[in-house]
Amino acid sequence: MQRKKFGHVQVPFKRVHIELTNVCDFNCVFCPKSLMSRRHGYMDEGLARRIITDIRAYGLAEKITFHVMGEPTLHPKFFRLLDHAASEGMPVGLTTNGGGLGGRIGAGLLDYPLHQVDVSLQTPDEISFALRKATKLNFDRFLNGIVAFFSEYHERHPQTIFKFRFLNTTIPVRTIEKRNGPVRVVSSTRELRSVFGEWVRRLYAAEGEPHEKWGPALARVNRLVSYKWNVVEILPQVFFETYLLADWGHAFNDGPVKPAWAGYCDGMRDHFAILYNGDVTLCCVDFDGKTVLGNLKETSMKEILSSDPLGRIMKGFERYRLVHPYCRHCLGSKNTISWLTKPLATIVGLHVLRPFFYNQIRLFD
């Protein structure tokens, strides 16, 4: 798709994240929810409608994604906002913890042909599910609700991209473990292949697929390794993904961080985020609103994306320079060797390799 200039950015973005709420019914130990200083709340329905309308009218994004912090399906007007997006012809991606898919939320979603559904499965078995601290929801209800919802939804809407996301803890994050104890989910290649294999069998059985059709998907799973990001298609338009656990830009780190001298980030390149109170931020990793550029209750989208501060940030990005102090901290390092090499790794990994792999698998997050 041909991109054009809108203020200081190139549009359309692959997605704009809209945080309907930062309230979540899970308390995952690997999530910075407990570190968030923002007040909890829900996006005003009128504001959400206007944001969706403006994104569509300006051609800002290929889709909107209900995601930053919180569980979007908890918004009291969630389905009315899905209706509004549909009336505007705006493709919608939903990122959910999956806890509500076995109940009223899942039943309601069956009527909506979303562009993409991402289930943050994270902890694929009963032992690791304890890391979610999901209050009254036990693993069996969680598992059965997700599988039943997937089976019916995929049958009704086979064109919808369905992605199950699993946590990869092959490389332990000591800062998180220092605060919250061991975080072990998928921690080796053997475990990765075992977990994915079990979930392939589970979903194929739910789909009623005969055993002889499982082989190609299991073969693809058995070629995966655990020390990197993985995405594998296990059914048409259905993907498994692992991502390496990170500490949200040193959010869990109490020690000193050397600010990055350079680097690359996808913020304001393929996405940006709008928090529930209307604040526009550079990226979805900024869980606490440290990079606010303006507020959509007070300023238009056009004015914010044309603002001088964003112009300076984008000019820096063009030269791999990080203007905003939060960006320098987020991509910073705790030791000199990492400080020297990490910027180059982000440039090669995110700017060169990631687009190549995304094009290969036809899937954007």
Side-chain angles (χ1 to χ4, degrees):
M1 182 180 295
Q2 185 68 36
R3 303 188 78 188
K4 61 182 180 180
K5 198 79 169 179
F6 185 90
H8 297 296
V9 297
Q10 294 289 324
V11 300
F13 291 93
K14 290 184 173 66
R15 65 203 182 280
V16 173
H17 291 270
I18 301 176
E19 180 188 74
L20 296 184
T21 179
N22 63 347
V23 174
C24 187
D25 49 348
F26 283 21
N27 297 283
C28 304
V29 301
F30 43 80
C31 173
K33 173 183 175 180
S34 63
L35 307 176
M36 187 170 53
S37 63
R38 294 190 288 135
R39 297 176 61 181
H40 290 90
Y42 301 85
M43 185 174 282
D44 175 76
E45 182 185 0
L47 175 62
R49 286 173 172 267
R50 178 162 59 83
I51 288 170
I52 294 168
T53 296
D54 285 352
I55 290 172
R56 183 60 173 176
Y58 290 131
L60 292 185
E62 296 173 9
K63 68 175 180 181
I64 57 173
T65 297
F66 292 142
H67 175 53
V68 178
M69 294 293 286
E71 171 54 41
T73 62
L74 296 179
H75 193 286
K77 307 299 183 183
F78 174 69
F79 287 109
R80 286 171 56 161
L81 294 175
L82 287 183
D83 287 332
H84 180 68
S87 71
E88 293 286 351
M90 189 74 238
V92 174
L94 169 66
T95 297
T96 174
N97 62 30
L101 296 182
R104 177 185 61 84
I105 294 297
L109 280 170
L110 294 175
D111 294 327
Y112 293 87
L114 302 180
H115 174 77
Q116 184 166 329
V117 177
D118 288 2
V119 181
S120 293
L121 196 60
Q122 318 284 35
T123 51
D125 54 43
E126 186 170 9
I127 294 175
S128 59
F129 184 69
L131 298 171
R132 309 297 293 276
K133 296 187 177 180
T135 59
K136 298 179 181 179
L137 184 66
N138 63 40
F139 180 70
D140 285 340
R141 283 179 55 203
F142 177 69
L143 167 66
N144 294 333
I146 289 173
V147 173
F149 169 78
F150 163 77
S151 179
E152 187 165 359
Y153 190 93
H154 188 57
E155 182 178 2
R156 291 195 190 191
H157 309 293
Q159 77 284 356
T160 295
I161 296 170
F162 223 103
K163 184 166 65 173
F164 293 89
R165 305 186 73 190
F166 298 79
L167 199 60
N168 182 339
T169 60
T170 298
I171 303 173
V173 179
R174 301 303 184 190
T175 52
I176 297 178
E177 296 193 330
K178 184 177 179 180
R179 283 175 176 264
N180 299 324
V183 179
R184 294 290 184 271
V185 185
V186 174
S187 299
S188 68
T189 294
R190 180 178 179 180
E191 187 175 5
L192 169 64
R193 294 174 180 177
S194 174
V195 165
F196 274 24
E198 176 61 29
W199 276 87
V200 165
R201 296 179 183 92
R202 188 171 282 143
L203 296 187
Y204 268 68
E207 293 281 276
E209 295 283 358
H211 287 73
E212 56 268 22
K213 289 191 175 182
W214 301 7
L218 291 172
R220 287 192 291 273
V221 163
N222 285 326
R223 289 194 292 268
L224 301 177
V225 292
S226 67
Y227 52 80
K228 66 181 184 68
W229 171 67
N230 289 287
V231 178
V232 58
E233 189 168 15
I234 57 102
L235 283 165
Q237 298 291 85
V238 181
F239 299 81
F240 288 170
E241 176 184 31
T242 60
Y243 65 97
L244 291 166
L245 176 62
D247 66 353
W248 292 77
H250 302 288
F252 291 87
N253 182 30
D254 294 324
V257 173
K258 293 172 68 69
W261 57 272
Y264 187 91
C265 171
D266 287 328
M268 280 294 168
R269 287 190 174 92
D270 73 356
H271 77 279
F272 67 91
I274 304 170
L275 305 183
Y276 83 87
N277 67 344
D279 283 343
V280 175
T281 63
L282 291 177
C283 72
C284 61
V285 175
D286 180 12
F287 68 93
D288 213 19
K290 302 298 186 185
T291 63
V292 174
L293 301 165
N295 187 282
L296 291 171
K297 293 180 181 178
E298 305 161 355
T299 312
S300 72
M301 188 84 75
K302 178 72 171 179
E303 289 173 305
I304 292 174
L305 296 181
S306 303
S307 66
D308 289 340
L310 179 58
R312 290 191 290 272
I313 290 170
M314 297 308 295
K315 286 181 180 178
F317 280 162
E318 290 171 5
R319 302 188 300 273
Y320 306 118
R321 301 297 182 190
L322 306 175
V323 172
H324 199 286
Y326 179 83
C327 300
R328 294 196 295 271
H329 180 83
C330 179
L331 294 179
S333 302
K334 290 177 286 185
N335 61 69
T336 301
I337 293 176
S338 177
W339 179 80
L340 289 170
T341 59
K342 186 175 180 179
L344 301 177
T346 62
I347 293 169
V348 173
L350 295 177
H351 185 45
V352 179
L353 297 180
R354 188 173 183 177
F356 170 77
F357 287 121
Y358 271 33
N359 287 334
Q360 292 297 305
I361 61 174
R362 303 175 291 105
L363 177 66
F364 297 99
D365 63 357

